[in-house]
């Protein structure tokens, strides 16, 4: 819920830097590079150069995160699944109620 209302620019910049670092770290061998090329060609029909991918990541802002979260998370009914002992799991109505308690 906090992402919908009060994510900061600092947090977004930190997340973008971490994502770009992880993205580059994943491309450290020929097998991983081939996997990346195949995935991009299957999903997008072309390979996106690393520079273009970084520029797309840089376009994301705190406002973008808030807008997307508000549209897809805020005041929406959550899906809930659990495995194992569920005695400590909050009631669904309580979880659903916390999805809109910070109404703007």
């Amino acid at each position: 819920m906090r992402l919908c209302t009060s994510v900061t620019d600092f947090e977004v910049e930190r997340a973008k830097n971490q994502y770009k670092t992880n993205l580059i770290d994943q491309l450290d061998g020929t097998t991983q590079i081939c996997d990346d090329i195949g995935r991009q060609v299957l999903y997008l029909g072309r390979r996106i150069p690393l520079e273009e991918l970084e520029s797309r990541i840089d376009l994301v802002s705190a406002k973008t995160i808030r807008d997307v979260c508000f549209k897809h998370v805020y005041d929406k009914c959550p899906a809930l699944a659990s495995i194992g002992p569920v005695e400590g799991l909050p009631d669904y109505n309580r979880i659903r109620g916390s999805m809109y308690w910070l109404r703007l």
Side-chain angles (χ1 to χ4, degrees):
M1 288 306 301
R2 196 180 74 71
L3 284 177
C4 297
T5 56
S6 61
V7 67
T8 65
D9 289 323
F10 175 76
E11 292 170 325
V12 173
E13 287 301 319
R14 184 175 168 208
K16 290 191 306 188
N17 288 333
Q18 186 175 12
Y19 181 67
K20 288 190 275 188
T21 300
N22 288 340
L23 190 66
I24 292 170
D25 283 346
Q26 289 177 357
L27 301 175
D28 64 349
T30 55
T31 303
Q32 292 88 353
I33 291 172
C34 288
D35 184 50
D36 183 56
I37 291 171
R39 187 179 309 110
Q40 288 183 13
V41 169
L42 281 173
Y43 291 138
L44 305 170
R46 69 182 181 99
R47 177 152 192 235
I48 298 177
L50 193 56
E51 296 80 20
E52 181 182 344
L53 194 55
E54 285 184 4
S55 67
R56 287 183 178 194
I57 293 168
D58 288 334
L59 291 175
V60 175
S61 67
K63 183 180 180 338
T64 307
I65 299 294
R66 282 192 298 268
D67 291 345
V68 168
C69 286
F70 193 79
K71 180 179 179 182
H72 296 287
V73 176
Y74 191 80
D75 202 15
K76 303 292 186 219
C77 293
L80 186 62
S82 180
I83 296 175
V86 295
E87 292 82 19
L89 188 66
D91 180 56
Y92 177 81
N93 291 325
R94 182 174 177 199
I95 294 171
R96 174 65 178 107
S98 67
M99 298 299 286
Y100 63 88
W101 70 276
L102 292 173
R103 190 161 300 277
L104 299 174

